[in-house]
Amino acid sequence: MPVLPLAAATLVGDQENPKDLIAAQVREQGHTCEAPKSAERDESQSGPDSEVWTLECENASYRVRLVPDMAADIEQIN
């Protein structure tokens, strides 16, 4: 399963609009994300070694936990 590189995972929080990077990871892991609309970091769920994002796509929404050097943990939430 493809893994978001450490550098990319670290940069997600620094990017102005991370929705495209997170949507690409979601797609690489076999989920459908048509026309990503937004990605919001969940500060309460994120930690020093992982970032949790809510990704809203045209067809679905996902909770995505990005952990360096590992596949993302993806949960569809709608």
Side-chain angles (χ1 to χ4, degrees), residues 13-71:
D14 297 333
Q15 291 186 7
E16 191 172 310
N17 192 358
K19 67 179 169 57
D20 294 324
L21 182 60
I22 297 169
Q25 181 67 29
V26 166
R27 288 186 200 110
E28 285 179 16
Q29 289 186 225
H31 299 273
T32 303
C33 178
E34 298 170 5
K37 295 179 179 183
S38 66
E40 293 185 26
R41 189 171 191 263
D42 184 338
E43 297 292 334
S44 67
Q45 296 293 317
S46 297
D49 295 329
S50 68
E51 294 183 1
V52 177
W53 293 80
T54 300
L55 175 66
E56 183 180 340
C57 304
E58 187 173 291
N59 61 304
S61 295
Y62 300 96
R63 182 169 295 110
V64 181
R65 179 177 299 276
L66 301 174
V67 181
D69 299 323
M70 295 180 64

